[in-house]
Amino acid sequence: LPNALRAQPLFICYTRNNLYLPWGHLLLPYLYPHQSEHASMVHTLIESYGLLKYMRVVEPSAPSRRELAAFHSDDYLEHLEQVSRDGDDDHPESQLYGLGYDCPTTEGVFECAASVAGGTLAAAGSLMDGSCDVALNWPGGWHHAKKDEASGFCYVNDIVLGILKLREKFERVLYIDLDLHHGDGVEDAFSFTPKVMTVSVHKFSPGFFPGTGGIDEVGMGKGRYFALNVPLQDGITDDKYFYACHTVLQDVFVTFNPEVVVCQLGADTLAGDPMCSFNLTPRGIGRCLQSILEWRLPTLVLGGGGYHQPNTARCWAYLTAVILGQTLSPEIPEHQYFTEYGPDYMLDITPSCRTDKNDQQYLDNLIARVRANLKNAS
Ligand code: V1S
Ligand code: CA
Ligand code: ZN
């Protein structure tokens, strides 16, 4: 990283609230029984690599109902708060609000989803008051939640709330979504405005959640061509992924001229993730992040998916080091969760032996079409 960027004060915030165990509720305790330790594994690895001393750690406060209502409807918030209070997973109206299969209403789910949003709002606030240049909230990144609907493990859309807050100060916000899934909730929220450009890179294939994010989805009304989608196929590896992201994002930077950037860096694109789709390593995602940081704009960095816990922690610890311009030891340091990193106990992830269904012709055609869409935004 350029020295000037390295010297900037950085800010990191976590919603490590033992009372609400955010990840335990948000990521399906029955499906991922150890998920409540997920946020803790990420934080502990970052801490054990000695990275906290380079950052300001902030304990965010819970957002008010008014802050959440900047995006979500009062009815939805009211209902979510009520079923969360009662732990009622069988309320007759819950289905109307998307609550159920992917988004169960465990007791306390409202507080935990709200506390994650509090982290993202605090991070956005630090960028706005100029107290940092890069703000991190790894527990954030819940891109599927809609105004009045929970979706895909997401109850409160902390990203939309963060962007709305950033818009109070910054004229043009660029949202970049590198999670495996299409960032539909964020795209929908801003599809009518030319002030927020959304770019999502994701797997797009029949039957794959959420089913949106085709290349011809470009926004609507005044926001037409201010939503870009980069749909990819299974098996993509670091070099091709970086090529696609870098080419598209450099063009977006020049055309849209953003004042602030928000990045969702879900780690479900990694080799070995149970989503079993892309074949990336943290280094591939790190190259994309580094090229974004080189724009030297205020940047809000968020997490998202990532269902192989040790690999997600490896990835986000590595990306934290990329932001800080630090080099990490290739061996995982001894710490509370050390045994989870076996059998190799190394930081790097080896790509799997899988077919990459994105041949060069597919990628070149894709990039040409994304560029053609982007041209209309200038
Ligand atoms: N892919 C996937 C997936 N897996 C599950 C799931 C599996 C077992 C369970 F007990 C509960 C849920 N749900 C899904 C997806 C949602 C993925 C959300 C990704 C979130 C993120 O990584 O982007 C981070 C924010 N849901 C579906 O595929 C929906 C269904 C279509 C699955 C089938 N059922 C019957 C209806 C809903
Ligand atoms: Ca995405
Ligand atoms: Zn995802």
Side-chain angles (χ1 to χ4, degrees):
L1 285 184
N3 278 339
L5 183 61
R6 215 175 275 180
Q8 304 280 2
L10 291 168
F11 168 95
I12 189 161
C13 67
Y14 294 97
T15 49
R16 295 182 70 223
N17 188 331
N18 289 334
L19 193 64
Y20 299 122
L21 295 172
W23 291 81
H25 289 295
L26 282 174
L27 287 174
L28 308 168
Y30 50 91
L31 179 63
Y32 310 108
H34 306 297
Q35 206 70 49
S36 59
E37 287 182 359
H38 180 119
S40 180
M41 271 184 78
V42 173
H43 173 77
T44 312
L45 190 60
I46 288 170
E47 187 179 41
S48 67
Y49 264 120
L51 294 175
L52 290 181
K53 61 177 170 289
Y54 302 109
M55 300 181 273
R56 187 158 60 83
V57 180
V58 169
E59 292 292 336
S61 49
S64 66
R65 174 67 83 84
R66 208 167 135 251
E67 282 177 291
L68 297 174
F71 176 54
H72 292 288
S73 72
D74 288 327
D75 286 359
Y76 173 65
L77 293 171
E78 186 65 43
H79 181 82
L80 187 61
E81 195 166 13
Q82 189 201 319
V83 291
S84 165
R85 197 184 312 118
D86 307 340
D88 181 357
D89 205 13
D90 203 22
H91 193 288
E93 277 176 30
S94 278
Q95 259 195 325
L96 293 173
Y97 295 111
L99 298 165
Y101 183 77
D102 274 344
C103 302
T105 47
T106 336
E107 194 183 335
V109 71
F110 176 82
E111 284 78 4
C112 89
S115 83
V116 168
T120 299
L121 287 168
S126 293
L127 292 173
M128 289 164 75
D129 67 22
S131 61
C132 70
D133 303 285
V134 180
L136 265 171
N137 183 31
W138 288 126
W142 301 99
H143 57 175
H144 299 303
K146 314 289 184 321
K147 177 186 157 100
D148 49 16
E149 193 188 335
S151 171
F153 314 159
C154 307
Y155 300 81
V156 169
N157 199 316
D158 62 300
I159 310 173
V160 172
L161 293 169
I163 293 174
L164 288 172
K165 188 173 169 111
L166 288 168
R167 276 278 297 127
E168 290 168 17
K169 169 160 182 177
F170 300 103
E171 188 62 12
R172 287 175 307 284
V173 182
L174 173 59
Y175 173 65
I176 300 168
D177 187 313
L178 300 190
D179 190 282
L180 176 70
H181 298 92
H182 175 225
D184 57 347
V186 185
E187 182 184 295
D188 287 1
F190 300 108
S191 60
F192 284 96
T193 175
K195 302 291 186 182
V196 178
M197 179 170 274
T198 61
V199 182
S200 177
V201 183
H202 46 263
K203 167 170 168 170
F204 187 68
S205 117
F208 189 71
F209 184 87
T212 49
I215 194 158
D216 295 323
E217 227 178 73
V218 290
M220 286 173 268
K222 282 189 180 165
R224 192 160 167 77
Y225 301 114
F226 288 83
L228 292 182
N229 285 295
V230 185
L232 296 169
Q233 307 302 312
D234 275 349
I236 195 157
T237 51
D238 286 350
D239 286 350
K240 278 195 197 153
Y241 188 81
F242 175 72
Y243 169 72
C245 286
H246 183 70
T247 313
V248 167
L249 292 176
Q250 285 309 118
D251 262 19
V252 164
F253 175 66
V254 172
T255 307
F256 182 60
N257 188 23
E259 290 185 355
V260 62
V261 182
V262 178
C263 294
Q264 197 269 26
L265 301 177
D268 43 7
T269 50
L270 292 175
D273 190 276
M275 288 284 168
C276 202
S277 298
F278 290 178
N279 197 5
L280 302 184
T281 77
R283 289 184 190 277
I285 304 171
R287 284 179 73 194
C288 299
L289 175 59
Q290 190 146 335
S291 70
I292 293 165
L293 294 173
E294 279 165 13
W295 298 339
R296 312 262 198 108
L297 291 173
T299 304
L300 172 54
V301 176
L302 304 168
Y307 306 101
H308 183 290
Q309 288 182 66
N311 282 357
T312 301
R314 281 178 168 103
C315 183
W316 290 347
Y318 174 77
L319 297 179
T320 305
V322 167
I323 294 167
L324 296 169
Q326 297 295 315
T327 304
L328 299 183
S329 152
E331 281 141 30
I332 299 285
E334 284 269 7
H335 68 294
Q336 188 186 351
Y337 299 107
F338 181 72
T339 53
E340 304 285 326
Y341 295 88
D344 63 335
Y345 306 98
M346 302 298 275
L347 179 65
D348 271 335
I349 292 171
T350 310
S352 314
C353 200
R354 302 181 50 219
T355 309
D356 180 357
K357 294 191 177 157
N358 306 269
D359 59 31
Q360 197 60 41
Q361 197 187 344
Y362 175 85
L363 278 190
D364 288 337
N365 180 262
L366 178 72
I367 291 168
R369 290 178 66 189
V370 176
R371 281 180 150 163
N373 286 339
L374 181 62
K375 258 199 178 133
N376 294 303
S378 50

